[in-house]
Structure formats: C-alpha cells, structure tokens
Amino acid sequence: MIALINNLLNINKILFSLLESFLILFIKNPIVPKSHKPVNKPYRKIEVDDMPPIVENNKSYDYQVLLKEYKLKHSKPLKPINRRKKSNISSSTYCPYCGAPKEYLYENNGSNGQLLCKVCDNTFVPNSKPKKSVTFRCPYCGYTLEKIKDRSNFSIYKCKNNDCDYFIKKFNSMSSKDKELYNKDPGKFKLRYIYRDYNFTLENLASNTPNSPKIDINRAHNSLTTIGYILTFYVNYGLSSREVSSVMKDVFNVSVSHQTVLNYAQAAAYYLSDFTKDKVENISDILCGDETYIKIKGKWRYIFLILDPVNKIIVSNFISKNRDTFSACSAIKSALDCFSKLPENLTFVFDGNPIYQLAKYFYSKHGINFDIKTVVGLTNNDIISTEYRPYKQFIERLNRTFKDNYRHTNGFGSFDGAITYVTLFTAWFNFLRPHSVLDNEVPIHLKELDRYANMPTKWAKLIELSQLHAIEKEKERVFSEAAA
Ligand SMILES: [Zn+2]
Ligand SMILES: [Zn+2]
C-alpha cells in the first residue's frame, strides 16, 4: 500500500518536473514580470571600525560636580549670572542636561525662549528633554562625532576633524593617484572614523514563533496518525494543501479540506517550534547561513537559514519583511542560543552582504564575539572563498531543497503560514530526513522514534513528544514562578 503511494508520488514528482521543463522551454515570458523579481546586486564593501567611540552620557552631568571641578581648575567658583535686567525664567526651570537652577541659565535667544546653561554649555528650550542623551566622541581625537545618516536600523556618526590621527594616517597612506581621486570625489573613500549607533538591543531582537493553534489537535476529528500522513505529504513531499486534501480523499477516502490541512500544520508547528529549538545541542563551532526570497501574499520576503554544516542541523530559521541588520542579528541570535557556552573559535560563513558584518559589530558591542568568513561570487578568487565554499554550497543546496518543497504551494497566504511551513520543514530536516553524508542517519536522532517504521507514525510521535515537552516547560515555568 505505502509502496504504491510512494510510486504514485514519485510519478507525480516526475510529472511536475517534466511540466516545469516544458514551461521553461516554451514560455518565454514568465507569469511574474521581471521587474517584480528581486534583483541580486553586488554589495558595496563596507568597512567597520572596531574601536568604539568615547560615550559621554549627558544625563549624568551634575551641576554640583561640574561647579566643584570648575573651582578646582580655576581656583575660584563659577559665579551665578549677574543680571542687569530681571529675568523671565521661572524658578521651576532647570537645565535638562546638568540640573543647574535658573541662577546659571542665560536667556540665549529671548524671543524663541532658548536658554543657555552657564555650567555645562548646553542650549535648550525650557521643559524640554535633552536632545541626545549621549554624545559620541572620536576615540582617536576626542572630537564630537557628527550624525551623518539615519538608516532604518542605526544612525551613522562620523569624525569630521581634519586633524584626527585616524584621518591623517589613512590620508598619508594613499597613493598620489588616489589622493587626486579623493579630492574630486571624497565619498569614494573611507578615510574617517565612523560609528554606527543601533536603535535596537539584544532584548528586542525577534524570533519566529507560530501563532496559537486555531484547533485543538488532540480533539481533532482525525487521529494523530492521519495528521502524520497529512504532514508527510505537505512537508516531506512538498504538496500544496489542496493536493494533500485530494490525495487523502483519493487514496484513503479521508475527507479533509485544504483549510483543515493548514490548521493541522499550524497546530503541529506551534508545539514543534520550541521542541526543535531545545533539541539542537552539541553543534559545531562553524556555522553557515544565507538568506533567500520567498513569496508571502504576493510579496517578496526573506528567509534566513543558519546551518551546522558538519552535523547537517538547521540551527536557526527566521522570516522577515526586510533583508536588514536587525534580521541578520535576529537570525544569529537563535543560532547563538543553541550553545550553553559560546565556543572560542565560533565562525559563521556568509555571503558578502554587509548586514552580517554589521551584525558582528552589533554583537561585539555586547561582548559577544565571533568570526565571519565571506564567500562571494561563483569562483574562488581568494583563499577564504576556496576554504569555505563547500559550506556555502551546502547552505545553497538547503535553500534549494526548501524552495523545491514549498514551490508547489505558489507562495504563502500569510506570514504565519510561512512561519508554520519553515518550522515544520526544520523539524523534518533535523529529526526525520536521513542524510547520505551521515550514513543515512537523521541529523538529530530521537530514540523515541526508533519504534516507528514509517513517516506518518514518526510525525505523529514527534507531535506527541513536542506536546509533552510543552507541558514540561509550562510546569517548570509555574514552579520557578512559585519559587520566586
Ligand atoms: Zn547645564
Ligand atoms: Zn577623530
């Protein structure tokens, strides 16, 4: 019976691929206009300065401390302002930067109400918050960095001091030809110290978690094994929810609507998400990652996958609207969470997208260090590309497997639908899919699944294990809350 189904599915697959070849051969204009396809542009090389800036916390100014410092330095106290006219400043006004009272505040710009603090030299409008809570200074010259750009994930600050050691050293090391070019187009060269201030923190990085299930899988009309069959067709064989619905009717005479298929998938993913994350351990200290396009509700979105190329385990999956530094940091976070202690030589292999360098920089600011190796282009032009290309090729194959599996669904109807699919795909890849390189073993062996000979029963057991896992975790949470 199962052999028959397998044969049918194989024939189905062959038909699909034949059909595709014909489509590629004969349809010169694809249904999706070219302009709608995402374009791969070469990345601009970015250079990141390792040295952090000197951070001056403006809020921590205390006018009393500043007054004492002044007295020490000048051997006389800083006197309150001697006014010829009566001031309009209300007695409830204080400098928002150092807390100095009105006796030290000048009416700097009378009509607009701007005041100047004699103690800390800051200007402000009464009752306003300080403009910046911090000032960044160049670590090479102490000059205040100037904000030059606001990006979606960070602001860029630059040292514009022409006497800066950093600038002078870089400028002097240029060839006379480059100096000439620089005078014509200074934007082409990076000669000045740059600092990026991120607008997100470690705590607010995102992770993909499926929404709460729409149905209770344990009270479902169909048995867990039937749901196992449905997931086998939907995930292992990459059939669309409508195709799964037809196969279930045609082969088993079981009626499930395509919406029920999606509901089962979503409920299974809800439990498997945490379970899969928690079962990833003892991974290698070299990981490779990549981002690729997927279609959600007709729009191109991004999926980030990070893989342990030695043990063939997917350690992180992240779906995002944007291909930006925040998403790269979020994807890396799930990978870092797999380690109880970060290995010293942790290395990620990525393509040349600068978001990964910026992510590395973000983490180093939080005391989390790892190395990034970049493999670019299709040919090996450098030693690093040659050494790490096999890893890169492996993640590219994984991306293709993922795309092959979800292609027949013609994109996802919702963000949650995409998260559901990638969660199930990851569970299948890590626990159920034998790998030739691993002597036809699965990447993560669960001994509880050994008793089960076929995929549907393995899926059913996997769902059961993940539900038990969720109950255990909930118990732990309640106990630790009671103990606290
Ligand atoms: Zn002040
Ligand atoms: Zn400087």
Side-chain angles (χ1 to χ4, degrees):
M1 178 68 174
I2 298 296
L4 178 76
I5 296 167
N6 280 341
N7 278 337
L8 280 174
L9 282 168
N10 280 337
I11 292 166
N12 214 350
K13 282 211 145 179
I14 293 164
L15 282 176
F16 267 126
S17 59
L18 271 177
L19 192 66
E20 260 169 46
S21 316
F22 279 119
L23 282 174
I24 291 162
L25 275 175
F26 293 110
I27 301 180
K28 280 190 177 164
N29 296 312
I31 301 158
V32 183
K34 267 192 181 149
S35 59
H36 285 189
K37 284 205 164 179
V39 198
N40 270 320
K41 278 185 278 182
Y43 301 116
R44 206 184 148 187
K45 253 202 171 161
I46 81 147
E47 209 184 310
V48 176
D49 291 314
D50 283 336
M51 192 93 136
I54 301 160
V55 181
E56 241 174 42
N57 202 330
N58 294 338
K59 275 181 194 157
S60 71
Y61 281 159
D62 180 341
Y63 82 101
Q64 286 171 324
V65 176
L66 292 176
L67 287 178
K68 270 183 204 159
E69 280 174 6
Y70 183 93
K71 200 177 168 184
L72 271 175
K73 199 172 168 189
H74 298 89
S75 312
K76 58 174 188 182
L78 181 72
K79 284 186 188 155
I81 298 159
N82 186 8
R83 294 180 218 271
R84 277 167 275 151
K85 283 197 296 185
K86 194 176 175 287
S87 99
N88 293 319
I89 306 169
S90 93
S91 53
S92 63
T93 304
Y94 294 89
C95 167
Y97 293 95
C98 72
K102 67 177 258 194
E103 286 73 31
Y104 292 97
L105 306 178
Y106 291 109
E107 282 169 274
N108 185 39
N109 180 351
S111 59
N112 287 334
Q114 197 185 52
L115 306 179
L116 169 69
C117 175
K118 191 180 175 182
V119 186
C120 72
D121 256 358
N122 276 303
T123 55
F124 63 94
V125 174
N127 303 319
S128 65
K129 281 186 180 163
K131 264 190 198 138
K132 280 183 292 174
S133 59
V134 290
T135 301
F136 298 115
R137 290 185 184 278
C138 175
Y140 295 90
C141 69
Y143 208 76
T144 303
L145 301 180
E146 204 174 298
K147 193 202 270 191
I148 53 162
K149 252 172 217 153
D150 269 320
R151 297 259 189 247
S152 63
N153 290 162
F154 50 82
S155 304
I156 304 177
Y157 292 83
K158 189 180 198 174
C159 174
K160 289 196 170 175
N161 180 11
N162 285 338
D163 294 325
C164 178
D165 285 350
Y166 183 98
F167 173 70
I168 292 169
K169 207 176 153 196
K170 283 239 169 173
F171 185 79
N172 288 341
S173 69
M174 282 204 298
S175 67
S176 50
K177 201 179 158 200
D178 275 352
K179 277 181 190 161
E180 225 173 86
L181 272 173
Y182 173 78
N183 286 331
K184 276 186 207 143
D185 189 1
K188 277 219 159 95
F189 296 84
K190 187 200 168 292
L191 298 184
R192 293 175 186 275
Y193 174 78
I194 295 270
Y195 171 67
R196 286 172 181 80
D197 187 40
Y198 294 84
N199 58 11
F200 57 89
T201 64
L202 266 185
E203 287 71 35
N204 54 36
L205 288 174
S207 71
N208 283 159
T209 310
N211 289 341
S212 297
K214 295 188 182 94
I215 50 152
D216 182 350
I217 212 166
N218 299 314
R219 292 187 190 172
H221 180 65
N222 292 297
S223 71
L224 216 49
T225 310
T226 307
I227 294 172
Y229 274 97
I230 289 169
L231 293 183
T232 304
F233 296 131
Y234 187 56
V235 185
N236 303 35
Y237 291 92
L239 301 187
S240 73
S241 54
R242 286 179 200 279
E243 287 163 344
V244 175
S245 171
S246 307
V247 171
M248 291 307 286
K249 183 71 195 160
D250 295 350
V251 181
F252 301 104
N253 197 26
V254 172
S255 297
V256 278
S257 70
H258 88 97
Q259 187 55 51
T260 305
V261 170
L262 294 176
N263 290 347
Y264 287 156
Q266 202 249 348
Y270 175 75
Y271 293 106
L272 279 165
S273 173
D274 260 2
F275 179 77
T276 309
K277 278 177 201 158
D278 291 347
K279 288 287 170 193
V280 174
E281 48 197 9
N282 303 324
I283 54 175
S284 73
D285 56 6
I286 181 155
L287 302 171
C288 54
D290 199 5
E291 77 285 345
T292 188
Y293 310 97
I294 54 169
K295 221 174 190 183
I296 303 177
K297 272 178 132 178
K299 287 201 171 115
W300 291 106
R301 302 301 191 200
Y302 302 93
I303 173 163
F304 292 75
L305 290 171
I306 299 178
L307 196 87
D308 171 351
V310 180
N311 300 301
K312 314 292 177 200
I313 295 169
I314 298 176
V315 298
S316 169
N317 60 55
F318 185 69
I319 293 172
S320 175
K321 281 186 181 153
N322 307 307
R323 181 156 69 172
D324 57 7
T325 309
F326 176 79
S327 306
C329 287
S330 297
I332 289 173
K333 172 79 168 39
S334 304
L336 298 177
D337 285 345
C338 298
F339 295 98
S340 47
K341 185 176 177 285
L342 282 192
E344 251 171 52
N345 301 322
L346 181 61
T347 303
F348 287 93
V349 182
F350 288 117
D351 60 18
N353 195 327
I355 55 175
Y356 297 113
Q357 291 296 342
L358 294 171
K360 177 187 152 145
Y361 182 54
F362 169 83
Y363 277 104
S364 74
K365 280 175 61 186
H366 289 87
I368 298 167
N369 294 298
F370 49 78
D371 200 7
I372 285 188
K373 302 285 183 206
T374 302
V375 178
V376 278
L378 296 168
T379 50
N380 296 329
N381 294 327
D382 54 272
I383 296 164
I384 290 177
S385 288
T386 311
E387 188 180 349
Y388 293 99
R389 181 161 310 278
Y391 298 128
K392 182 81 170 69
Q393 283 165 338
F394 184 56
I395 188 97
E396 279 166 3
R397 270 203 301 279
L398 172 72
N399 273 337
R400 275 202 299 278
T401 312
F402 180 77
K403 285 199 163 181
D404 277 348
N405 276 41
Y406 100 89
R407 182 168 38 200
H408 305 305
T409 67
N410 192 28
F412 298 102
S414 68
F415 222 75
D416 192 49
I419 291 173
T420 290
Y421 197 82
V422 73
T423 303
L424 295 174
F425 179 87
T426 304
W428 168 64
F429 195 91
N430 286 356
F431 303 123
L432 302 175
R433 185 174 179 265
H435 215 287
S436 56
V437 181
L438 305 171
D439 292 331
N440 279 322
E441 278 291 327
V442 296
I444 301 176
H445 175 239
L446 299 174
K447 60 178 185 327
E448 295 92 335
L449 300 184
D450 287 349
R451 292 171 47 205
Y452 301 92
N454 65 18
M455 270 306 155
T457 48
K458 280 180 199 278
W459 268 114
K461 185 66 187 173
L462 199 56
I463 294 168
E464 195 187 303
L465 290 173
S466 67
Q467 287 183 319
L468 290 172
H469 182 76
I471 294 168
E472 282 306 312
K473 276 195 105 168
E474 181 60 17
K475 266 194 212 160
E476 270 173 37
R477 195 186 63 79
V478 171
F479 279 136
S480 69
E481 262 186 23

